[in-house]
Amino acid sequence: MVLVPVPEETTVHHDHDHRRLGRELGLFGTDPLIGAGLPYWLPDGATVRHTLEEYVREAELRAGYRHVYSPVLGKRELYEISGHWEHYRDDMFPPMELGGQEVVLRPSLCPHHALVYRSRARSHRELPLRIAELGAMYRSEPSGVLGGLTRVRAIHLNDAHVFCAPDQAAAEARAALGLIRRAHADLGIEAARYRLSLPGAGGKYVVGPALWRRAAALLREALEGLPYEAVEGEAAFYGPKIDVQIADAAGRESTLSTVQIDFHQPERFGLRYTGPDGTGHRPVMVHRSVIGSVERVVAHLTEVHGGAFPAWLAPVQLVVLPVGEEQREQADGLVRRAAGRGLRAEVAGPEHGTLGARVRAARKVPYRAVIGAREAAGGDLADVRLRDGRRPGAMSGTELLRRIADRVRARGPELWESARGAV
């Protein structure tokens, strides 16, 4: 799969600019000694990333995917076979000499997954075979277009390839769209539009008009019932694709999630399976990415939510604020219990300033628990305050952690739910 570039980044002056929020919230950073377009992830940003990776891995497992790991390097010959060297070379880093051979930082994971499929004989009974990986790939982007997390040179892509019989391809593409729509709902993302990306005049595409028409017809079948528009000139070099477009606060569009149907690479790599008739048949390769690259999706989520991530995704889910040092032991105990339930919690004690200043500093955190003299005297009590300004009031730490855990597990947008429903 080839990640689609976004338009050149321009300066955006608004409160939700992910570059400003990334610095303010300690999500990621850059250093000239590492290089342009190569951001590093700070602990809170890494937490958001890990949570996203775990989410999509679990979703893929439920959908019948098997996960693999593959190397970030490959011989130049591998990409000559796949067609990347001929059609995508301008976006690749130059080859490196290694042991008398030329090796290349991969621009895509699909050639590696084709070799995973080809590692042994396959039967029609194994199909569809769904192979997934969150892997690194590299693009030689010009320095002038790099910025934040949206245009980078090292990309970590939520990628997958489904190897299936031709009559299974439309259903697999439709199932991938279902995964994408569910993930977007859980993440609070709205698609700007669905785009059927077709070849255009003068582009670098593999030959085979009949296969292109067949692939486009299968994608149209997968899109049935969804509003979409067909656009020429946006296809991958090896086949048409469905692009799920998102828009930032400035109205600029980019591609987040994709579904592609590829007849080209199975042929180039000589992929086969034994059909019910006992003879060899060529599989179809369905490329799909549910959340796209973690860099781009974190940038978009940061801007969509203004750094106030959904409770299940927030790097810190609960801040416990002891009014004075006298309540420190109780606050530390509540944080330990939260960690025992798999929640991310921290203590913000008096050494960080007045209670008001600490509450303001924690304005992006979904839940705050204030423990003063009255709460400490009551035993296991805390004054609960929500990020949206609501104050459910004093309750036991046990009840608070149960409610937070329920909301995190639900992955919904609501911060609080009463016995009768959301409040």
Side-chain angles (χ1 to χ4, degrees), residues 248-317:
D248 65 14
R252 298 171 305 173
E253 278 195 11
S254 60
T255 301
L256 186 65
S257 310
T258 58
V259 182
Q260 308 169 30
I261 288 183
D262 179 7
F263 289 97
H264 166 73
Q265 290 189 73
E267 181 176 340
R268 294 292 296 264
F269 284 103
L271 306 186
R272 310 289 287 178
Y273 67 91
T274 302
D277 58 1
T279 66
H281 297 262
R282 184 84 66 209
V284 179
M285 198 171 176
V286 179
H287 308 234
R288 58 102 283 221
S289 181
V290 172
I291 61 170
S293 76
V294 292
E295 289 82 11
R296 188 175 295 177
V297 75
V298 170
H300 187 66
L301 288 169
T302 302
E303 296 194 352
V304 165
H305 299 294
F309 295 102
W312 68 275
L313 194 55
V316 178
Q317 295 163 326

Side-chain angles (χ1 to χ4, degrees), residues 46-62:
T47 297
V48 175
R49 174 175 168 170
H50 290 160
T51 305
L52 281 169
E53 292 174 359
E54 290 166 3
Y55 166 80
V56 77
R57 184 170 56 248
E58 291 172 6
E60 288 169 340
L61 286 172
R62 289 193 299 269

Side-chain angles (χ1 to χ4, degrees), residues 29-40 146 153:
T30 58
D31 193 293
L33 283 177
I34 297 176
L38 299 169
Y40 54 79
L146 299 171
R153 288 172 170 160

